[in-house]
Amino acid sequence: MMRTRPLKVALLGCGVVGSEVARIMTTHADDLTARIGAPVELAGVAVRRPDRVREGIDPSLVTTDATALVKRGDIDVVVEVIGGIEPARALITTAFEHGASVVSANKALLAQNGAALHAAANEHGRDLYYEAAVAGAIPLIRPLRESLAGDKINRVMGIVNGTTNFILDKMDSTGAGYQEALDEATALGYAEADPTADVEGFDAAAKAAILAGIAFHTRVRLDDVYREGMTEVTAADFASAKEMGCTIKLLAICERAEDGGSVTARVHPAMIPLSHPLASVRGAYNAVFVESDAAGQLMFYGPGAGGSPTASAVLGDLVAVCRNRLSGATGPGESAYAALPVSPMGDVVTRYHISLDVADKPGVLAQVATVFAEHGVSIDTVRQQGKDGEASLVVVTHRASDAALTGTVEALRKLDTVRGVASIMRVEGE
C-alpha cells in the first residue's frame, strides 16, 4: 500500500550538484513516489547565500541555518552536498542524533572521518550512504559493498578524477605540455581556478581511501594513502610511453598483498599498456577496474563528475534510504572486521621506467647495471641514445619494491657518469 504522508528531505548545499538534486526531485516526483512507496518532499534547503535566485526552489524553503534545519526532528533524510570537513561533519552527526539518515557526496570527510560517522549512524540506527563520493554517476560503492559482498576483492585500480584524465589525455593525443593542457581544461570548465586538489592527487587519494576500506573490510584513512601528483609529467614521458606501447594515467590503486596479510592504497601517475581497458578511457571520464577471486575482472565506466551525473548517484542513494525508512530497516554499514594493516609505499612491488641523463662514454651502462644489481632490482630492457658527450639511458625494470627502487636511484645519483634522473614512473596493468 502506498503511504500518503511524504518523507521529508533536507538539502544541505544548493550549488551545481544540490540544485540538480532539487530539480530531479521535482521533475521526477511521481516516478520517485512509485519507486519508493511514498512521496518525497523537499522540506528545506540550507545555503550560504540566501539572496541568490534558485530556479524551481520555493524561496520559503531556503535558510542559512543548517543546524536548525537538521535539528527539526521531522526530517527523514539529510542530503549533504556542501563538501569540506566542517560544518559538514557536525551537521551529519547532528542529523543522526535527531533521527535523520544521511546521503552524502563528501569524499574528503568520509576519507578522514568515515569510521566515526559510521559509528554515529549505527548508534542511532540510521543510514549513511555515499555513492556520489566516488566516481560520480558510476555505480561503484554499492556493487563493492553489496553485489560483491560474498567475494574476495584483491585489487581496485582506476581513474577516479576527470580533470586529471582530461589533461593527460590531451597531452597524449596532441603532444601538448602539462601547462597547455591544464589551461585548456580550465577554459572548458574541467579544472578549478585552483586545480591543486585534482592535479596533486588529493581528490583521488580521498576516493582511494574510501574504496580500499570497502573492498578490504579495513579502515583506511586518507593519511594511509600514498599520494603523488601529475604536475611533473612531460611530453617526453608520453613519448617514452608510446615507445613501450603504453600511455600515462593518474591511477588510484588499492590492492591486497599476495599473502593476504596487508593492503596498500596509492595514487600516482603510471604507464599502462594500450591493451589495458583503462588506457582507452578518454577525456573527463572515469573508470575503475576491479579484480576478485570469483567474479574475476570487472570494469565500471562513466562520467565521474558534474551536476547531473553526481545528482544521479545522490538520488539513487536517496531512493534506497527512503525505502529503508519505510521498512524500518537500515542498509549495510561499515564493514571493517578484517582490520588488515596498511603497508607503507616502500613495500609496494611494481615495474619502473627510469630515464637517466648520462655521460656518453664507454662503461656507463655497466656501471648503471651494477647499481641495479646491487640493490636487487632486475632490469628488463635498456635503451641508450647519445651524441656530443651526452646521452639518455632509459631502463625498464622487472617487478621490484618501491624501497629497493628508491635505494637504487639514490645510488645512481652518486655516480659521476650520471648527470641526473630525468624521470621515474611506475608501470602498472601488466
Side-chain angles (χ1 to χ4, degrees):
M1 181 181 295
M2 182 75 68
R3 189 179 99 166
T4 57
R5 184 172 66 82
L7 292 157
K8 294 189 176 183
V9 178
L11 179 60
L12 307 184
C14 198
V16 173
V17 175
S19 59
E20 190 66 9
V21 169
R23 184 192 69 79
I24 295 174
M25 285 184 64
T26 301
T27 58
H28 296 182
D30 291 343
D31 286 335
L32 291 173
T33 297
R35 293 166 190 173
I36 292 169
V40 286
E41 173 188 314
L42 188 59
V45 182
V47 300
R48 289 184 297 175
R49 302 179 184 88
D51 298 331
R52 179 179 296 177
V53 176
R54 294 173 171 86
E55 186 177 348
I57 296 178
D58 184 346
S60 67
L61 298 179
V62 177
T63 178
T64 58
D65 194 344
T67 301
L69 178 59
V70 300
K71 281 184 174 181
R72 274 178 36 174
D74 65 334
I75 300 297
D76 293 289
V77 184
V78 169
V79 174
E80 183 271 308
V81 288
I82 57 178
I85 305 302
E86 294 292 357
R89 184 197 61 78
L91 290 170
I92 290 174
T93 302
T94 302
F96 291 141
E97 293 169 351
H98 288 78
S101 291
V102 173
V103 173
S104 176
N106 196 331
K107 66 247 177 195
L109 177 61
L110 290 159
Q112 183 168 310
N113 297 103
L117 293 177
H118 273 293
N122 183 63
E123 178 185 353
H124 296 285
R126 294 295 177 252
D127 277 322
L128 174 61
Y129 276 49
Y130 42 90
E131 185 67 65
V134 180
I138 303 173
L140 184 59
I141 301 297
R142 196 168 298 143
L144 287 178
R145 71 177 184 177
E146 296 183 35
S147 304
L148 295 173
D151 206 343
K152 179 184 177 184
I153 297 173
N154 297 309
R155 198 173 203 229
V156 179
M157 179 173 77
I159 299 162
V160 294
N161 183 278
T163 299
T164 56
N165 198 59
F166 178 89
I167 293 169
L168 291 173
D169 182 40
K170 185 61 62 174
M171 293 175 70
D172 184 27
S173 61
T174 69
Y178 166 76
Q179 189 59 52
E180 182 183 351
L182 172 59
D183 290 343
E184 182 172 350
T186 304
L188 293 172
Y190 291 123
E192 301 287 345
D194 179 1
T196 303
D198 294 324
V199 300
E200 293 294 353
F202 290 101
D203 175 83
K207 296 170 182 176
I210 295 169
L211 291 175
I214 296 170
F216 306 131
H217 305 279
T218 292
R219 286 178 179 168
V220 180
R221 290 178 46 116
L222 182 58
D223 292 345
D224 295 321
V225 181
Y226 172 84
R227 178 193 55 79
E228 183 181 318
M230 49 160 279
T231 58
E232 300 301 318
V233 177
T234 66
D237 291 326
F238 273 100
S240 293
K242 287 181 178 180
E243 291 180 358
M244 291 178 58
C246 293
T247 188
I248 299 172
K249 300 291 186 182
L250 184 76
L251 298 178
I253 303 172
C254 314
E255 56 190 352
R256 190 188 301 268
E258 290 185 5
D259 64 5
S262 64
V263 298
T264 57
R266 50 197 166 103
V267 169
H268 54 72
M271 294 182 180
I272 58 172
L274 294 176
S275 58
H276 194 281
L278 291 177
S280 61
V281 178
R282 311 303 297 267
Y285 274 71
N286 283 192
V288 177
F289 202 71
V290 178
E291 300 175 30
S292 68
D293 274 2
Q297 297 179 334
L298 306 169
M299 183 164 155
F300 301 84
Y301 169 86
S308 294
T310 306
S312 171
V314 170
L315 267 295
D317 278 351
L318 179 63
V319 169
V321 170
C322 285
R323 287 171 174 170
N324 290 344
R325 294 283 287 193
L326 290 180
S327 66
T330 56
E334 182 188 34
S335 176
Y337 73 91
L340 297 170
V342 182
S343 296
M345 186 63 186
D347 292 350
V348 170
V349 176
T350 189
R351 298 178 67 206
Y352 292 88
H353 176 282
I354 305 103
S355 180
L356 305 171
D357 295 326
V358 299
D360 187 15
K361 61 182 184 180
V364 174
L365 180 56
Q367 287 183 331
V368 169
T370 298
V371 170
F372 275 88
E374 289 174 347
H375 288 81
V377 179
S378 175
I379 293 176
D380 182 17
T381 62
V382 179
R383 186 176 70 255
Q384 184 173 3
Q385 294 178 327
K387 65 177 182 177
D388 300 329
E390 297 297 328
S392 63
L393 191 66
V394 175
V395 178
V396 180
T397 74
H398 288 291
R399 288 171 59 82
S401 72
D402 189 82
L405 196 282
T406 298
T408 301
V409 172
E410 290 176 354
L412 288 171
R413 293 183 191 276
K414 296 176 182 178
L415 293 178
D416 292 338
T417 52
V418 174
R419 310 297 194 211
V421 180
S423 69
I424 303 171
M425 193 165 295
R426 296 167 185 88
V427 182
E428 303 284 350
E430 295 186 317

